[in-house]
Amino acid sequence: MAAAAADEAWCRETVPRVMELVSPRLPQRDVCALLAVSPWCYRALVANPRLWEVLDMREMKNAGDRLISALSLARYHHLRVLNLEFAQNIEDRHFVHLKEMSGISLENLEFLNLNACQKISDKGIEAITSLCPNLQGLSIYWIVGLTDSSIGHITKNCRQIVDLNLSGCKNISDKGMSLVANSYQGLKKLNITRCVKLTDDGLKEVLQRCSLLESLNLYALSSFTEEVYKGIGLLSNLTFLDLCGAQNLTDDGLVCISRCGGLTYLNLTWCARVTDGGVIAIAQGCQSLEMLSLFGIVGVTDACLEALSKSCSNSLTTLDVNGCVGIKRRSRDDLLKLFPLLSCFKVHS
C-alpha cells in the first residue's frame, strides 16, 4: 500500500513538475506530446501560459484545419507568435472562418509568419490581419499573388508594425510602398527583395519617412538609380543593408551610404560599378562592419583591403572577395594578419 501511494504521489506531483520544468526547452510539438503522458501532466502543462505563447505549424500538413482547431483551445488565447511558414493546405477560407468564429482573439499576437503560403490572396490577408491589431512583425515572403490591396489591409488593421518582410511579392508597387511609408514611421526592418515593380518613387518615400530603419534588404532589385541609393545615407540607425545586384550603384552612392556609421552587415555582391573609392569610403565611415561581401566586383583592388584593415580589423568577421580579380590571392594566415577576427572568408582561386 505504501509503495502504491508513493507511486501515485510520484505520478501526481513529481512527474508533472519535472515536465513543467523541462518543457520550455523542448520544441512545441514535443510539449504537445507530453500532454498525453497523464491527466496530471496535462493539467500542469496547460496551466502554464508561457508554454502556449508560440504556435509553430511550419511545413505542417492540413495546416488550415489544424489552425482552426488549435485556436479554438483556451490555452492559445494569449498567443504571441504564429508560424505558418511553408504550411500546407491553408487557404483564404480558413482565415475567413477564424474571423467569423466567436471567441477567437489574436489581440496578443506580435509576429505572424505566412512565408510561401501560396494559396493566400488579398482576401485572406484582410481576414487574418483584422484579428491582429497589435501585430508588430509580419512576413509574407513569396506569396506572389498578393497586391497593393494586401498592403492596404495590413496598414489599416495593424498600426504597430515595425518588421515587414515583403520579399518575393512581385505585384507590390509604389502605391503599396507609399502606404507603408505613410503608416509606419517607426518601421525598423523592411525586406523588399524581388519586389520588381518598385521604382525610385516608392523607395524614396520609405527612406524619407521611415528614418528609424535598422535593416533594409534590397536584394535583386536592379532598376533603382544612383539618386535613390544616396538617400540611404539618411538612415542613421541602419545596421543591415543588402544591395546585392544593385547595378546602378557607384562610388558616389557608397560615399553617401558611408554616413550610416552603425552598419555591421553590407552586401555589395555584383555591384559591378563599385571601385576602391566607394569601399574605402565605407571602411572609413562604417568602422563597426562585421560582414562585407564584394563578390564579383572586378573594380576593387588590394587598396580597399588595406583601408578595411586599418578601420575595421577589430570588427570584421566575414569577408567575401570571391571573383574580385583585382585583389591578389592570400593564404588564411595572411588574411588573419589583416583581420584578426575573421572566421569566414572567401577568396578567388
Side-chain angles (χ1 to χ4, degrees):
M1 292 291 291
D7 287 343
E8 184 174 351
W10 176 267
C11 293
R12 281 179 175 272
E13 301 172 11
T14 305
V15 173
R17 181 56 180 157
V18 170
M19 296 297 186
E20 193 174 2
L21 292 172
V22 170
S23 54
R25 300 173 176 83
L26 297 176
Q28 189 180 57
R29 296 181 190 187
D30 292 339
V31 176
C32 290
L34 292 178
L35 294 175
V37 170
S38 72
W40 304 291
C41 284
Y42 180 92
R43 285 194 289 269
L45 295 179
V46 167
N48 186 344
R50 293 182 59 190
L51 297 178
W52 313 107
E53 292 179 346
V54 176
L55 180 54
D56 187 355
M57 305 184 76
R58 188 180 190 277
E59 299 181 348
M60 191 174 288
K61 296 180 180 179
N62 300 318
D65 293 337
R66 290 184 175 189
L67 176 65
I68 291 171
S69 297
L71 294 183
S72 301
L73 301 172
R75 65 176 180 264
Y76 286 116
H77 284 184
H78 300 286
L79 196 65
R80 292 176 55 247
V81 176
L82 175 57
N83 184 4
L84 293 167
E85 185 174 44
F86 298 106
Q88 301 176 37
N89 309 114
I90 187 160
E91 305 173 16
D92 289 344
R93 61 185 177 87
H94 295 109
F95 290 155
V96 172
H97 183 66
L98 285 173
K99 182 180 178 181
E100 294 172 347
M101 287 176 64
S102 61
I104 296 295
S105 173
L106 293 175
E107 289 190 358
N108 294 309
L109 198 69
E110 297 175 2
F111 183 77
L112 173 62
N113 187 338
L114 299 176
N115 288 349
C117 293
Q118 291 286 5
K119 293 183 179 181
I120 301 299
S121 72
D122 295 334
K123 182 179 180 180
I125 295 297
E126 189 281 329
I128 189 62
T129 57
S130 69
L131 294 170
C132 314
N134 297 308
L135 203 64
Q136 297 177 29
L138 174 63
S139 188
I140 48 178
Y141 166 93
W142 213 255
I143 308 182
V144 294
L146 300 184
T147 71
D148 292 329
S149 294
S150 280
I151 304 300
H153 298 315
I154 294 165
T155 54
K156 176 184 177 182
N157 294 329
C158 309
R159 305 295 299 174
Q160 300 182 43
I161 295 286
V162 294
D163 183 350
L164 184 60
N165 185 348
L166 304 175
S167 176
C169 295
K170 296 183 176 183
N171 290 309
I172 303 297
S173 72
D174 290 342
K175 179 181 177 181
M177 280 299 97
S178 181
L179 290 170
V180 170
N182 285 293
S183 301
Y184 300 134
Q185 280 77 44
L187 195 65
K188 294 183 179 180
K189 295 183 179 181
L190 178 64
N191 187 336
I192 49 176
T193 291
R194 297 188 186 278
C195 292
V196 293
K197 285 190 175 181
L198 299 183
T199 71
D200 280 8
D201 291 340
L203 184 55
K204 278 182 180 177
E205 276 204 79
V206 169
L207 297 179
Q208 290 168 357
R209 296 180 180 273
C210 303
S211 60
L212 299 180
L213 275 172
E214 298 173 0
S215 175
L216 180 61
N217 197 321
L218 305 179
Y219 178 93
L221 294 174
S222 59
S223 62
F224 294 135
T225 68
E226 178 83 321
E227 290 306 308
V228 78
Y229 291 126
K230 290 180 179 179
I232 295 174
L234 300 172
L235 304 176
S236 58
N237 293 338
L238 201 65
T239 60
F240 179 105
L241 179 60
D242 193 332
L243 295 174
C244 177
Q247 296 180 11
N248 296 318
L249 177 67
T250 70
D251 292 342
D252 289 340
L254 280 184
V255 168
C256 294
I257 291 172
S258 69
R259 298 170 189 159
C260 303
L263 270 181
T264 59
Y265 180 106
L266 179 60
N267 186 355
L268 298 176
T269 295
W270 298 120
C271 293
R273 301 177 65 186
V274 167
T275 70
D276 285 337
V279 180
I280 290 172
I282 290 293
Q284 294 172 344
C286 307
Q287 299 186 15
S288 298
L289 269 183
E290 298 174 9
M291 182 279 177
L292 176 64
S293 176
L294 304 175
F295 182 99
I297 304 179
V298 298
V300 294
T301 70
D302 287 334
C304 73
L305 282 194
E306 293 174 8
L308 288 165
S309 69
K310 292 177 181 178
S311 301
C312 305
S313 63
N314 292 324
S315 61
L316 204 60
T317 61
T318 302
L319 178 64
D320 189 346
V321 293
N322 194 23
C324 300
V325 295
I327 294 177
K328 70 178 183 181
R329 287 178 292 177
R330 284 176 167 80
S331 67
R332 177 186 178 90
D333 290 341
D334 287 341
L335 276 170
L336 288 175
K337 290 176 183 177
L338 293 174
F339 307 104
L341 301 181
L342 210 59
S343 59
C344 179
F345 53 87
K346 298 179 182 178
V347 296
H348 63 88
S349 56

